[in-house]
Amino acid sequence: MTGLEFNDRVGAIPVYPAASTYAFDGDLVKLASNETPFAPHPKVLEAVEAQLKTLNRYPDPAKSTLRSRLSDRTGVAPGRIAIGNGSCELLLAGAEAMLDPGAEVVYAWPSFSIYPHLAPLSGAREVRVALAEGDVHDLDAMATEITVATQLVLVCNPNNPTSTHIPASEIGAFCERVPTHVTVILDEAYVEFQTDDDPDAGADLLAAFPNLVVLRTFSKVHGLAGLRCGYALCSARLRAAIDAVRQPFSVNSIAQAAAAEAILHSDDVTKRVEQTIVERVHVESGVEELGLASPPSQANFSWVDLSERDEAEVVRKLGEAGVIVRPGDGLGGPGHIRVTYGTRAENERFLEALEAAL
Ligand SMILES: *Cc1c(COP(=O)(O)O)cnc(C)c1O
């Protein structure tokens, strides 16, 4: 034993659930982290390579090129765009900047695994609101949990891990009910994959609600999870507060260059989304044929209800077949698995391994 001491908050912060790996003799099928199976666009790889020669320099602290392209793409002024080392950094820094000890954070559960980190980081109190029928956010129940102590509300749409989606019109109606001292973060990590609503409908609400923040990432549809880059469309005050609590050069120069190039290729994004939707239909019907239910997905993954089967055993058997999925237990939904859509060949291997595991 050493005499090291840590503050009380550290013990309260949960461990982020990571995918397990298995000894498997062959190509692993990685369907556990909602990554895209497609490599980054060739022009993005060129931009990365060009950037390598300037690695002796610090990255641009203002992230000017990426910021102005995001502004062109979204119509939001550059001063109201915060860029982070992954959107997770913006959640963590945002919470640090906004939450006081004793404040309340309201979010749905099950939802994204980083949300349970936010309250203990700052000594705030969290209020988890169970999803409604159909694994969707219960916005009515969330609105009734808001008190004078509430500082932050998180809405994940489409929701990770359940893949469900609520229309922007309902989110707008919810924002009407939220007092202006409360920040609402609308986490749109999977927004490109939603087909029930215009992907920009959430961001369109920004004009009406100054306390709304729209959070997006380059990790999913753009295929840049390994570089870490995300952004928030928010108030200039929140952007400044996020900058105040984090280190100055947190978004590295390669991530900035890659994201600035990726944003120019919306045709490629459309193609990726179309391919993902074809795989979504394939996996959803394959799962249904095996007699299992999953809520209709608006994302690049399915949330499969294993009904009475032993989740750990199914996950283990899939792992032994080289197919890595995420157990629902660590995500707040025991008795489920979350499976990301891969290539057609990967999805076939998943469906075959699942059939064998049942
Ligand atoms: C993957 C994901 C993110 C993105 O995280 P990054 O830090 O940008 O990689 C954010 N929110 C949700 C709900 C996610 O699933």
Side-chain angles (χ1 to χ4, degrees):
M1 282 293 279
T2 66
L4 283 180
E5 288 188 14
F6 297 92
N7 67 40
D8 290 341
R9 289 171 301 159
V10 172
I13 299 171
V15 177
Y16 186 82
S20 334
T21 48
Y22 292 79
F24 178 76
D25 212 13
D27 282 343
L28 280 178
V29 176
K30 295 181 179 167
L31 307 177
S33 296
N34 296 347
E35 300 144 339
T36 172
F38 312 118
H41 191 279
K43 290 276 183 218
V44 171
L45 297 179
E46 270 175 37
V48 164
E49 215 170 304
Q51 202 60 41
L52 295 176
K53 299 185 211 71
T54 67
L55 288 183
N56 53 314
R57 304 292 176 193
Y58 279 105
D60 171 12
K63 310 156 197 87
S64 327
T65 305
L66 176 55
R67 184 184 305 285
S68 81
R69 288 185 189 171
L70 283 169
S71 176
D72 291 345
R73 161 72 185 78
T74 61
V76 172
R80 295 184 48 206
I81 302 175
I83 300 170
N85 185 347
S87 52
C88 283
E89 183 190 42
L90 298 170
L91 283 165
L92 293 166
E96 191 180 350
M98 280 185 275
L99 298 177
D100 290 311
E104 291 172 3
V105 187
V106 177
Y107 59 88
W109 196 252
S111 194
F112 186 34
S113 307
I114 202 80
Y115 302 161
H117 292 234
L118 305 182
L121 262 181
S122 43
R125 197 173 80 82
E126 61 175 20
V127 180
R128 293 187 188 185
V129 179
L131 296 177
E133 185 73 30
D135 293 324
V136 296
H137 274 59
D138 189 341
L139 293 178
D140 267 338
M142 290 177 75
T144 59
E145 291 294 346
I146 294 171
T147 69
V148 285
T150 308
Q151 277 176 344
L152 179 61
V153 178
L154 300 152
V155 176
C156 187
N157 197 45
N159 187 42
N160 178 6
T162 61
S163 77
T164 52
H165 164 262
I166 29 181
S169 56
E170 287 177 30
I171 294 170
F174 172 73
C175 288
E176 297 276 5
R177 298 172 65 184
V178 177
T180 51
H181 73 273
V182 179
T183 298
V184 178
I185 297 185
L186 179 59
D187 186 343
E188 295 194 330
Y190 303 96
V191 76
E192 293 88 353
F193 301 109
Q194 85 186 21
T195 42
D196 282 359
D197 211 355
D198 176 353
D200 284 323
D204 288 344
L205 297 171
L206 287 165
F209 303 103
N211 54 336
L212 181 65
V213 175
V214 170
L215 194 65
R216 293 189 181 158
T217 182
F218 287 94
S219 296
K220 305 288 157 56
V221 77
H222 293 287
L224 297 177
L227 280 179
R228 319 295 303 118
C229 192
Y231 62 98
L233 309 174
C234 60
S235 65
R237 277 184 69 206
L238 179 57
R239 180 201 153 196
I242 285 171
D243 282 341
V245 300
R246 64 175 177 171
Q247 61 153 328
F249 298 108
S250 66
V251 185
N252 73 71
S253 51
I254 297 178
Q256 288 189 37
E261 183 64 32
I263 195 107
L264 300 179
H265 300 278
S266 56
D267 49 337
D268 185 51
V269 170
T270 306
K271 205 173 87 196
R272 286 156 181 260
V273 168
E274 283 169 2
Q275 284 170 304
T276 305
I277 290 166
V278 170
E279 294 312 309
R280 179 156 84 195
V281 172
H282 184 66
V283 172
E284 285 189 321
S285 59
V287 163
E288 199 186 322
E289 276 169 30
L290 295 176
L292 300 179
S294 59
S297 173
Q298 286 286 293
N300 65 339
F301 57 90
S302 278
W303 180 240
V304 181
D305 187 342
L306 298 172
S307 61
E308 299 303 305
R309 291 170 188 84
D310 182 352
E311 173 194 315
E313 193 186 315
V314 172
V315 171
R316 181 179 54 77
K317 285 183 176 165
L318 288 173
E320 285 167 3
V323 178
I324 312 302
V325 301
R326 192 63 69 92
D329 192 37
L331 302 176
H336 292 80
I337 51 172
R338 192 193 66 190
V339 58
T340 311
Y341 311 135
T343 60
R344 174 55 58 97
E346 291 173 327
N347 298 333
E348 283 297 326
R349 267 188 62 192
F350 161 69
L351 290 169
E352 281 163 25
L354 183 60
E355 183 172 18
L358 294 178

